[in-house]
Amino acid sequence: MSARLVLSDIGASFPAWESAFRRAAPDLALIHDQPSRDLPGLRYCMTWKPLPGVYDRMPHLEALFVLGAGVERFLADATIPPRVQIVKMAEPGLTQAMEHYVLWQVLNHHRRFWELDFAQREARWIDQTYPAPWERKVGVMGLGTLGEAVARRLKSFGFDTRGWSRSAKTIDGVTVFSGTDRIDAFLDGLEILVCLLPLTPETRGVLNADVFRHLAPGAGLINVGRGAQLNEADLLTALDSGRLTAASLDVFAAEPLPAAHPFWRHKRIFMTPHLAADVDPQSSALAIKRQIERFEAGQELEHVADRTRGY
Ligand code: NDP
Ligand code: OXD
């Protein structure tokens, strides 16, 4: 393969990516982007974050490979010409990391491990009971690359698993609901709700009091989608009233979350700083190499964001 790929805004991690690409795609010529450098004839670019204006320097750019699965900031960047396809990252390292994170937190809610943590700090020897996983109703909102893998993983660990997506689909052993008119049926009586939706106008604020009302009393929430999908005031009210027992949050409306934010000190909120799942350089390099090969062979790119749908 003799194609050229520009790595934009990679900064200090350029050497790590260079060595990943050298192993996965030795024939792909890598270019370390420099501000103000014109890149005529360049068709492929990989980047972490939107770089408004940078695309003027790449008049022949056709595919923008984003080092992440959520591309809402790219879709909001009006300086990306319509001809450029915005490609979401889909690679086994990212998917497996997300499966691990969600499984960890589902087990945390299922077995209430956080109660044991409190008890240890107070030197209390406590007793606990818990249902079998197949008696635990867990639901995953969003059944894309990540949500589907997570739903399958939860099913394989024995949970009574449901999923919800925009379009209808079939996942072995998972009860799937689709469309806005089926959201109530999906939510009804769920004990653990996982959000793996992309951020779009429809999903902004989707985790709100109306949704919490449909869950089983004392349900747990896990948000690994985007912070703006959560109505923060509704979460605090739901935790205070006992409607929800606990929440695991990896993503926040403001990142980094300001130190004065009430979530930091809430006893029933378990937080991680947006690191549920990150891309793996080696398998990402391989995924991008395969995409470029497809494209050069006249095939469609995969995982292209749809500007109309917003994800
Ligand atoms: P995909 O684009 O592959 O899948 C999105 C899924 O959401 C699809 O199943 C889609 O339905 C569904 N969906 C979108 N809009 C709606 C809606 N209005 N109602 C119901 N379902 C809807 O995304 P990924 O699985 O790759 O990633 C999901 C999100 O996870 C990312 O957008 C990002 O925000 C977040 N993320 C978070 C990370 C973290 O570290 N916390 C890491 C990586 C991603 P359909 O199948 O019908 O199209
Ligand atoms: C992503 C993320 O979208 O890290 O990949 O949140």
Side-chain angles (χ1 to χ4, degrees), residues 88 143-146 164-167 169 196 198 224-225 250 277 311:
K88 300 179 271 189
L143 296 173
T145 306
L146 299 176
W164 183 65
S165 58
R166 229 168 54 106
S167 55
K169 58 193 64 182
L196 256 170
V224 276
D250 181 60
Y311 67 95

Side-chain angles (χ1 to χ4, degrees), residues 10-294:
I10 300 299
S13 57
F14 186 82
W17 282 98
E18 196 177 31
S19 92
F21 274 104
R22 206 174 287 128
R23 270 175 286 156
D27 297 339
L28 191 61
L30 295 186
I31 300 166
H32 193 174
D33 194 16
Q34 314 279 341
S36 79
R37 177 175 179 187
D38 281 338
L39 297 160
L42 202 290
R43 299 168 74 202
Y44 310 112
C45 175
M46 175 187 109
T47 186
W48 289 111
K49 58 178 192 217
L51 306 161
V54 87
Y55 311 101
D56 295 346
R57 297 191 287 106
M58 303 178 199
H60 301 107
L61 184 67
E62 290 183 69
L64 185 61
F65 296 104
V66 176
L67 284 176
V71 290
E72 68 281 359
R73 294 173 308 151
F74 292 86
L75 294 171
D77 179 353
T79 73
I80 302 179
R83 68 159 195 285
V84 177
Q85 303 195 58
I86 299 169
V87 184
K88 300 179 271 189
M89 182 50 74
E91 57 90 5
L94 179 69
T95 303
Q96 200 170 79
M98 187 58 87
E99 289 173 38
H100 289 178
Y101 182 97
V102 175
L103 181 61
W104 170 47
Q105 283 311 310
V106 165
L107 291 171
N108 195 18
H109 287 267
H110 171 55
R111 297 282 301 268
R112 303 194 314 280
F113 286 139
W114 41 271
E115 274 181 2
L116 301 177
D117 188 36
F118 293 161
Q120 180 179 347
R121 284 159 205 262
E122 294 162 4
R124 280 187 294 118
W125 184 273
I126 62 168
D127 199 10
Q128 259 195 353
T129 57
Y130 47 87
W134 49 90
E135 286 166 4
R136 185 67 88 191
K137 297 181 179 62
V138 184
V140 182
M141 300 175 98
L143 296 173
T145 306
L146 299 176
E148 176 171 346
V150 162
R152 287 186 190 278
R153 177 69 71 193
L154 295 173
K155 178 65 200 172
S156 79
F157 272 75
F159 290 102
D160 178 356
T161 310
R162 296 181 203 167
W164 183 65
S165 58
R166 229 168 54 106
S167 55
K169 58 193 64 182
T170 308
I171 305 176
D172 228 18
V174 176
T175 311
V176 176
F177 300 81
S178 58
T180 317
D181 54 339
R182 297 292 285 150
I183 190 169
D184 292 356
F186 161 73
L187 295 169
D188 186 40
L190 280 181
E191 296 169 281
I192 302 174
L193 177 65
V194 179
C195 179
L196 256 170
L197 288 165
L199 182 62
T200 68
E202 288 80 44
T203 67
R204 188 172 287 276
V206 68
L207 301 173
N208 58 38
D210 270 354
V211 159
F212 303 153
R213 202 170 300 127
H214 284 90
L215 305 178
L221 173 70
I222 300 170
N223 189 18
V224 276
R226 284 292 182 258
Q229 286 158 349
L230 174 68
N231 182 317
E232 296 188 350
D234 286 2
L235 173 65
L236 291 171
T237 305
L239 289 170
D240 290 348
S241 69
R243 170 111 289 275
L244 293 183
T245 298
S248 307
L249 307 177
D250 181 60
V251 286
F252 304 89
E255 294 182 1
L257 192 67
H261 197 286
F263 285 178
W264 283 111
R265 279 161 281 278
H266 199 292
K267 284 192 87 172
R268 299 294 182 87
I269 295 180
F270 176 84
M271 290 170 51
T272 47
H274 198 148
L275 45 62
D278 207 350
V279 294
D280 171 71
Q282 187 67 31
S283 48
S284 298
L286 197 57
I288 291 174
K289 165 194 140 94
R290 290 198 177 127
Q291 288 266 41
I292 293 176
E293 279 172 354
R294 286 177 67 84

